[in-house]
Amino acid sequence: MQMGVHMETAICVTTRLPRTDVGTKTSVSVDPDRQPQAEAIVYIDSQRLTRDCVSEQLAARLPEVLIEAIAAAYDLSKEDAETHRFALGILNKHSMQIGEAEVADQLSFLATIAPDLPIALLSDVDEADEIAEAFGLGVRGYIPTSLPIKQVAEAIRLVSAGGSFLPPSILTLSTHARRAQPPTNVEEDCCGMSFTPRQLEVLRRLWQGKQNKLIAYDLNMCESTVKVHIRHIMKKLNARNRTQVVLLTRSMNVNGAALTNG
């Protein structure tokens, strides 16, 4: 995993192109007779002010790509996704938690219509558990809004080129969190756990970063039943949230074959 944003050279640099605004979308116009078609990045932000300002800054600092700004993931048509013209999707979740319905639903929608599209989150929340949960769901970049715009642009360039971006703050936050927790023999506790076949099925899908509704669909059960299984799993592991469940069961390889097969 690549960390940090100290990149000295851009992947591809072209002359800056004029930007045109149409409705709620921000894009860069291209003359097909003079320039090859550039890759595009879709920036998703429900707040008009930040949508306009951030997309304008990104267009100025990432001249090698087209920036298209939309209010919600649902504004992205399946036809757009099927053209594979987007190199990256950026969702600004502001101060919302990763587990809130609005964020989870948009991530689920993007995964459905564009399963191969890398996703980066722009967020006001800079907490270790939040960042870990985002990466557990398959997010490729977590960019705090506390970073200067230059670093934000470089982080986006890194993720769109196939890398991953973790904010440096997660190291400090993780260290503080470990110091605050009482010492426990987690490995011994996990290795002694036993899970029902259904709980193992749920665990396997938590490991894949799936939301409750998708787990319910896969296993042909009610979403409320999935929540009950997750609560029982958390209780067995003495975990506070689903992120800890994923980390504990991954690191200890609980019932290894049952979790990795299927």
Side-chain angles (χ1 to χ4, degrees), residues 46-79:
S46 61
Q47 297 184 18
R48 181 62 184 268
L49 179 61
T50 51
R51 184 167 71 245
D52 290 348
C53 292
V54 172
S55 60
E56 183 174 349
Q57 285 293 317
L58 293 181
R61 294 174 183 275
L62 300 170
E64 70 272 25
V65 297
L66 308 176
I67 305 297
E68 181 172 316
I70 57 178
Y74 317 111
D75 295 332
L76 182 64
S77 69
K78 188 173 182 180
E79 289 72 20

Coordinates of all heavy atoms in Angstrom, one line a residue, residues 46-79:
S46 N -22.9 16.8 -2.3 CA -24.3 17.3 -2.1 C -24.4 18.8 -1.9 O -25.4 19.4 -2.0 CB -25.0 16.5 -1.0 OG -24.3 16.8 0.2
Q47 N -23.3 19.4 -1.4 CA -23.3 20.9 -1.1 C -22.8 21.7 -2.3 O -21.6 21.5 -2.7 CB -22.5 21.1 0.2 CG -23.0 20.4 1.4 CD -22.3 20.7 2.7 OE1 -21.5 21.7 2.7 NE2 -22.4 19.9 3.7
R48 N -23.6 22.6 -2.8 CA -23.3 23.3 -4.0 C -22.0 24.1 -3.9 O -21.2 24.2 -4.8 CB -24.4 24.2 -4.4 CG -24.2 25.0 -5.6 CD -24.0 24.1 -6.9 NE -23.7 24.9 -8.1 CZ -24.6 25.3 -8.9 NH1 -25.9 25.1 -8.7 NH2 -24.3 26.0 -10.0
L49 N -21.8 24.8 -2.7 CA -20.7 25.7 -2.6 C -19.4 24.9 -2.7 O -18.5 25.2 -3.4 CB -20.7 26.4 -1.2 CG -19.6 27.3 -0.9 CD1 -19.4 28.4 -2.0 CD2 -19.7 27.9 0.5
T50 N -19.2 23.8 -1.9 CA -18.0 23.1 -1.9 C -17.9 22.3 -3.2 O -16.7 22.1 -3.7 CB -17.9 22.1 -0.7 OG1 -19.1 21.3 -0.7 CG2 -17.7 22.8 0.6
R51 N -19.0 21.9 -3.8 CA -18.9 21.2 -5.1 C -18.3 22.1 -6.2 O -17.4 21.7 -6.9 CB -20.3 20.8 -5.5 CG -20.3 20.0 -6.8 CD -21.7 19.3 -7.1 NE -22.7 20.2 -7.4 CZ -23.8 20.5 -6.7 NH1 -24.0 19.9 -5.5 NH2 -24.7 21.3 -7.1
D52 N -18.7 23.4 -6.2 CA -18.2 24.3 -7.2 C -16.7 24.6 -6.9 O -15.9 24.7 -7.8 CB -19.0 25.6 -7.2 CG -20.4 25.4 -7.8 OD1 -20.6 24.3 -8.4 OD2 -21.3 26.3 -7.7
C53 N -16.4 24.9 -5.6 CA -15.1 25.4 -5.3 C -14.1 24.3 -5.4 O -13.0 24.5 -6.0 CB -15.1 25.9 -3.8 SG -16.0 27.4 -3.6
V54 N -14.4 23.1 -4.9 CA -13.4 22.0 -5.0 C -13.2 21.5 -6.4 O -12.1 21.3 -6.8 CB -13.9 20.8 -4.1 CG1 -13.0 19.6 -4.3 CG2 -13.9 21.2 -2.6
S55 N -14.3 21.4 -7.2 CA -14.1 21.0 -8.6 C -13.3 22.0 -9.4 O -12.5 21.6 -10.2 CB -15.5 20.8 -9.2 OG -16.2 22.0 -9.2
E56 N -13.5 23.3 -9.1 CA -12.7 24.3 -9.8 C -11.2 24.2 -9.4 O -10.3 24.3 -10.3 CB -13.2 25.7 -9.4 CG -12.5 26.8 -10.2 CD -13.1 28.2 -10.0 OE1 -14.2 28.2 -9.4 OE2 -12.5 29.2 -10.3
Q57 N -10.9 24.0 -8.1 CA -9.5 23.8 -7.7 C -8.9 22.6 -8.3 O -7.7 22.6 -8.7 CB -9.5 23.8 -6.2 CG -9.6 25.1 -5.5 CD -8.5 26.1 -5.8 OE1 -7.3 25.6 -5.7 NE2 -8.8 27.3 -6.1
L58 N -9.6 21.5 -8.3 CA -9.1 20.3 -8.9 C -8.9 20.4 -10.4 O -7.9 19.9 -10.9 CB -10.1 19.1 -8.7 CG -10.2 18.7 -7.2 CD1 -11.2 17.5 -7.1 CD2 -8.9 18.3 -6.6
A59 N -9.8 21.1 -11.1 CA -9.6 21.3 -12.5 C -8.3 22.1 -12.8 O -7.6 21.9 -13.8 CB -10.8 22.1 -13.1
A60 N -8.0 23.1 -11.9 CA -6.8 23.9 -12.1 C -5.5 23.1 -11.7 O -4.5 23.3 -12.4 CB -6.9 25.1 -11.2
R61 N -5.6 22.2 -10.8 CA -4.4 21.5 -10.3 C -4.2 20.1 -10.9 O -3.1 19.5 -10.8 CB -4.4 21.4 -8.8 CG -4.3 22.7 -8.1 CD -4.5 22.6 -6.6 NE -4.5 23.9 -6.0 CZ -3.4 24.6 -5.6 NH1 -2.2 24.0 -5.8 NH2 -3.4 25.8 -5.1
L62 N -5.2 19.6 -11.6 CA -5.1 18.3 -12.3 C -5.5 18.6 -13.8 O -6.5 18.0 -14.3 CB -6.0 17.3 -11.7 CG -5.7 17.0 -10.2 CD1 -6.8 16.1 -9.6 CD2 -4.4 16.3 -10.0
P63 N -4.7 19.3 -14.5 CA -5.1 19.7 -15.9 C -5.1 18.5 -16.8 O -5.6 18.5 -17.9 CB -4.0 20.7 -16.3 CG -2.8 20.3 -15.5 CD -3.4 19.9 -14.1
E64 N -4.5 17.3 -16.4 CA -4.4 16.2 -17.3 C -5.7 15.4 -17.3 O -5.8 14.4 -18.1 CB -3.2 15.3 -16.9 CG -3.4 14.5 -15.5 CD -2.9 15.3 -14.4 OE1 -2.9 16.6 -14.4 OE2 -2.6 14.7 -13.3
V65 N -6.7 15.7 -16.4 CA -7.9 15.0 -16.4 C -9.1 15.9 -16.5 O -9.0 17.1 -16.3 CB -8.1 14.1 -15.1 CG1 -7.0 13.1 -15.0 CG2 -8.0 15.0 -13.9
L66 N -10.3 15.4 -16.9 CA -11.5 16.2 -16.8 C -12.2 16.0 -15.5 O -12.2 14.9 -15.0 CB -12.4 15.7 -18.0 CG -11.9 15.6 -19.4 CD1 -12.9 15.0 -20.3 CD2 -11.4 17.0 -19.8
I67 N -12.7 17.1 -14.9 CA -13.4 17.0 -13.6 C -14.8 17.2 -13.9 O -15.3 18.2 -14.4 CB -12.9 18.1 -12.7 CG1 -11.3 17.9 -12.5 CG2 -13.6 17.9 -11.3 CD1 -10.9 16.6 -11.9
E68 N -15.6 16.2 -13.5 CA -17.1 16.3 -13.7 C -17.7 16.3 -12.3 O -17.5 15.3 -11.5 CB -17.7 15.2 -14.5 CG -19.2 15.3 -14.7 CD -19.7 14.3 -15.7 OE1 -19.1 14.2 -16.8 OE2 -20.8 13.7 -15.4
A69 N -18.4 17.3 -11.9 CA -19.0 17.4 -10.5 C -20.5 17.2 -10.6 O -21.2 17.8 -11.4 CB -18.7 18.8 -9.9
I70 N -21.0 16.3 -9.7 CA -22.4 16.0 -9.6 C -22.8 16.0 -8.1 O -22.0 15.9 -7.2 CB -22.7 14.6 -10.2 CG1 -21.9 13.5 -9.6 CG2 -22.5 14.7 -11.7 CD1 -22.3 12.1 -10.1
A71 N -24.1 16.2 -7.9 CA -24.6 16.3 -6.5 C -24.7 15.0 -5.8 O -24.6 15.0 -4.6 CB -26.0 17.0 -6.5
A72 N -25.0 13.9 -6.5 CA -25.2 12.6 -5.9 C -24.7 11.5 -6.8 O -24.8 11.7 -8.1 CB -26.6 12.4 -5.4
A73 N -24.4 10.4 -6.3 CA -24.0 9.3 -7.1 C -25.1 8.9 -8.1 O -24.8 8.4 -9.2 CB -23.6 8.1 -6.3
Y74 N -26.3 9.0 -7.7 CA -27.5 8.6 -8.5 C -27.6 9.5 -9.8 O -28.3 9.1 -10.7 CB -28.8 8.7 -7.7 CG -28.6 8.2 -6.3 CD1 -28.6 9.1 -5.2 CD2 -28.3 6.9 -6.0 CE1 -28.4 8.6 -3.9 CE2 -28.2 6.4 -4.8 CZ -28.2 7.2 -3.7 OH -28.0 6.8 -2.4
D75 N -26.9 10.6 -9.8 CA -26.9 11.4 -11.0 C -26.0 10.8 -12.1 O -26.0 11.3 -13.3 CB -26.4 12.8 -10.7 CG -27.3 13.6 -9.8 OD1 -28.5 13.3 -9.8 OD2 -26.9 14.5 -9.1
L76 N -25.2 9.8 -11.7 CA -24.3 9.1 -12.7 C -25.1 8.0 -13.3 O -25.5 7.1 -12.7 CB -23.1 8.6 -11.9 CG -22.0 7.9 -12.8 CD1 -21.4 8.9 -13.7 CD2 -21.0 7.2 -11.9
S77 N -25.3 8.1 -14.6 CA -26.1 7.1 -15.3 C -25.2 5.8 -15.5 O -24.0 5.9 -15.6 CB -26.5 7.6 -16.7 OG -25.4 7.8 -17.6
K78 N -25.9 4.7 -15.7 CA -25.3 3.5 -16.0 C -24.5 3.5 -17.3 O -23.5 2.9 -17.4 CB -26.3 2.3 -16.0 CG -25.6 1.0 -16.1 CD -26.7 -0.1 -15.9 CE -26.0 -1.5 -16.0 NZ -27.0 -2.6 -15.8
E79 N -25.0 4.3 -18.2 CA -24.4 4.4 -19.5 C -23.0 5.1 -19.4 O -22.0 4.7 -20.0 CB -25.2 5.2 -20.5 CG -26.5 4.5 -21.0 CD -27.6 4.4 -20.0 OE1 -27.5 5.1 -19.0 OE2 -28.4 3.5 -20.1

